[in-house]
Amino acid sequence: MDLKELRERQSWTLRQKIDHSLGVIDQFVSRLNGQVYVGFSGGKDSTVLLDLCRIVKPDIKAVFCNTGNEYPDIVRFVRELKNTEGYDIEIIYPTLKPAQVFEKYGFPLISKSTSAIIGKVRKKPDGKVFENFVVKRHSIFKLAKKWMFLIDEKFDVSEKCCNQLKKKPFHEYHITSGLFPISGEMASESIQRQMKYLQAGGCNQFDDTTNSKPLSIWLEDDIWAYIRERGLKIADIYHKGAKRTGCMFCGYGCQFKDDNRLQLCYELYPKMYNHFMNYTNNGVTYREAMRKVLAVNGLFLPDEKPKTLFD
């Protein structure tokens, strides 16, 4: 599998992609004798995935991890489906709460790759990570100069939030249940996911990391087109202006001017917003850390934005 072939598949019609995904799911289910589950986030992508999987295996189990960092709309939507006849949905929980993860590991800022680099450099400032990603900067995941100040900040920055709140609970579920995951990742979502798809050589993997990603070749427009075509109900948060869901207060991408997550949280759930902004690491609040990150691009927290800024 190479990038050219991926681009060709991404250009297929929706019908071609649906047929491809159904074939991927059928192969995965058959190869593993039905011992599979859908990693269900409650977002639009996994809602499409669950619908496709139910076409192949109507009684398929879906598993939702309530991290404590989910939009209330998402949790409500999942619970509604759970109580709908014909759906088999199980809800699991992480061992640590978001506040504990932030305090122990650090804040998730900028992006997963940037957080990982900063975290490793802070631990070993004279190590290979610093040499390769900061000094030589010869990788696509190099640390941008404007974020280098985070290396010397009092608070820690880490990518381990996702590992603790999502990946670890799902891994433990796999160990105890013996079921293998089907997830709704798309290669178009990030360079990292694109690279993983190309390295895997396809949507299904049957090795030490046995998993299925039937939506790998889909694009954002395909997801919405499928939702319209099938008349699927999705979580209300999308009708309230959310562009993407995921963890409610994740700092990844908040530094972009077109990201509306913080604004949406502040407007819809002010108490949760204020509660989360007071999470700490090394005595520094998430508010203080986020304020510094946003300032780099001339942005402000929604409740600190000057009233005359855009007048």
Side-chain angles (χ1 to χ4, degrees):
M1 177 68 65
D2 56 24
L3 186 58
K4 181 181 179 181
E5 186 173 355
L6 170 59
R7 293 289 182 262
E8 289 176 353
R9 293 187 177 194
Q10 288 175 327
S11 69
W12 286 351
T13 65
L14 178 60
R15 177 47 54 190
Q16 288 175 308
K17 290 177 180 178
I18 291 172
D19 290 343
H20 171 81
S21 295
L22 291 175
V24 167
I25 296 166
D26 185 58
Q27 181 197 45
F28 194 70
V29 171
S30 298
R31 181 89 171 261
L32 297 171
N33 297 315
Q35 299 303 298
V36 304
Y37 74 92
V38 178
F40 185 55
S41 71
K44 66 182 190 328
D45 299 348
S46 68
T47 298
V48 167
L49 175 66
L50 181 56
D51 189 68
L52 288 166
C53 287
R54 281 169 51 80
I55 292 174
V56 176
K57 191 177 188 302
D59 64 343
I60 195 167
K61 177 180 283 292
V63 180
F64 171 73
C65 183
N66 191 342
T67 64
N69 196 4
E70 311 296 324
Y71 285 99
D73 309 66
I74 291 291
V75 176
R76 190 181 310 115
F77 176 65
V78 171
R79 293 191 183 281
E80 287 175 357
L81 277 187
K82 178 178 171 61
N83 294 324
T84 301
E85 185 177 355
Y87 283 85
D88 182 5
I89 298 179
E90 183 173 347
I91 299 177
I92 61 176
Y93 301 86
T95 302
L96 298 178
K97 297 183 182 301
Q100 295 173 306
V101 174
F102 277 34
E103 180 58 51
K104 185 175 182 178
Y105 297 103
F107 299 132
L109 299 171
I110 317 303
S111 69
K112 187 172 291 187
S113 59
T114 297
S115 287
I117 293 170
I118 293 171
K120 291 175 182 176
V121 169
R122 283 171 64 88
K123 288 184 177 179
K124 293 185 178 181
D126 57 349
K128 290 184 179 180
V129 173
F130 181 80
E131 178 70 17
N132 292 333
F133 297 96
V134 180
V135 178
K136 294 181 180 179
R137 304 176 73 249
H138 58 196
S139 167
I140 57 174
F141 299 121
K142 59 182 176 288
L143 181 62
K145 292 182 179 179
K146 64 181 178 180
W147 305 125
M148 288 185 184
F149 76 93
L150 292 170
I151 295 174
D152 301 314
E153 287 292 337
K154 184 179 178 181
F155 56 86
D156 293 319
V157 177
S158 171
E159 84 291 2
K160 294 182 179 179
C161 187
C162 183
N163 291 333
Q164 292 296 318
L165 296 181
K166 288 189 175 181
K167 291 184 178 180
K168 187 176 179 180
F170 277 116
H171 177 69
E172 291 174 348
Y173 179 81
H174 160 65
I175 297 299
T176 57
S177 70
L179 303 181
F180 293 90
I182 303 176
S183 62
E185 294 181 15
M186 295 188 292
S188 61
E189 292 178 283
S190 69
I191 294 177
Q192 285 180 313
R193 291 190 172 182
Q194 177 177 284
M195 289 176 62
K196 286 182 179 180
Y197 174 74
L198 295 176
Q199 290 169 357
C203 299
N204 284 339
Q205 283 186 272
F206 300 98
D207 50 30
D208 293 338
T209 56
T210 297
N211 63 74
S212 179
K213 300 175 182 178
L215 301 182
S216 291
I217 64 172
W218 288 47
L219 303 175
E220 183 85 358
D221 288 346
D222 298 317
I223 296 295
W224 287 113
Y226 185 90
I227 289 171
R228 291 192 297 269
E229 181 177 300
R230 294 279 290 178
L232 294 183
K233 181 179 179 180
I234 57 176
D236 288 339
I237 191 66
Y238 290 105
H239 303 304
K240 296 176 181 178
K243 296 178 181 178
R244 57 193 180 98
T245 51
C247 289
M248 189 174 180
F249 294 103
C250 179
Y252 297 155
C254 288
Q255 72 276 10
F256 296 122
K257 293 183 178 181
D258 63 347
D259 190 280
N260 70 337
R261 192 180 333 143
L262 292 177
Q263 183 70 41
L264 199 65
C265 291
Y266 176 63
E267 292 176 355
L268 297 178
Y269 312 106
K271 289 184 178 180
M272 294 181 68
Y273 172 90
N274 287 320
H275 179 71
F276 200 87
M277 283 297 167
N278 285 322
Y279 286 173
T280 61
N281 176 270
N282 294 337
V284 180
T285 65
Y286 192 51
R287 174 183 290 277
E288 295 173 272
M290 186 65 75
R291 182 188 292 148
K292 290 186 176 184
V293 167
L294 294 177
V296 171
N297 289 339
L299 302 177
F300 299 84
L301 287 165
D303 56 331
E304 297 181 355
K305 185 187 299 181
K307 293 182 180 180
T308 59
L309 184 63
F310 298 111
D311 287 352

